Amino acid sequence: MLSSGDNAPDFALPAANMDLIQLADYRGRHNVVLYFFNKDHTPGGIAEAVEFSERVDSFAEHNTVILGVSLDECLAHELFREEEGIEFELLSDTEGEVSRRYHALKKWEAHGMVRYGIDRSTFVIDKDGLIRHAFYHVMPKGHAAEILSLVQSLGAAED
């Protein structure tokens, strides 16, 4: 598992519009809230995405961008963003490579079959690419407000 003080693993993933987003693009310029969620159109996925989206401007005031990651394909993300009014990038990690590097991909066995899925996780990454906060087993309701408070305190520490 990753924790505070670790270097955030770099990545390049396609967004809903198929543009390639790299974590390194934000280095030196923005803090990043990187969150991993189970799936588009699920109750938890909707709740978490909408709560983050409602706070996009508040995060931006603290020079922070939000990136959501799931195993869904780009076209599913595009539809999800349109339907729910999501105002930040959703990234497609269909192979689970980035999710593995962040220890957010979990394996379980059910009915004799091995399955993989996301352990809802969130990382607050500063402008230097360091993880300032790492959360695993996140409950979606109210989580965005909690993360915004942490980002606000991060900004105060930088002043």
Side-chain angles (χ1 to χ4, degrees), residues 99-119:
S99 300
R100 270 188 205 88
R101 281 194 261 158
Y102 279 83
H103 304 276
L105 188 68
K106 298 298 175 193
K107 177 173 100 171
W108 74 93
E109 201 170 320
H111 309 293
M113 294 182 68
V114 174
R115 297 182 184 259
Y116 292 89
I118 297 293
D119 176 13

Side-chain angles (χ1 to χ4, degrees), residues 49-74:
V50 167
E51 287 186 17
F52 272 119
S53 192
E54 290 171 346
R55 293 166 175 81
V56 163
D57 292 339
S58 297
F59 279 102
E61 288 173 15
H62 296 280
N63 207 18
T64 301
V65 297
I66 302 162
L67 301 173
V69 178
S70 78
L71 304 176
D72 292 298
E73 294 184 357
C74 294

Side-chain angles (χ1 to χ4, degrees), residues 34 53 82 92 103:
L34 179 67
S53 192
E82 288 174 10
S92 182
H103 304 276

Side-chain angles (χ1 to χ4, degrees), residues 24-59:
D25 292 342
Y26 300 100
R27 192 147 302 130
R29 298 181 11 219
H30 298 283
N31 301 310
V32 175
V33 171
L34 179 67
Y35 84 95
F36 293 83
F37 66 104
N38 298 327
K39 197 162 177 50
D40 297 334
H41 300 102
T42 60
I46 293 168
E48 193 170 21
V50 167
E51 287 186 17
F52 272 119
S53 192
E54 290 171 346
R55 293 166 175 81
V56 163
D57 292 339
S58 297
F59 279 102

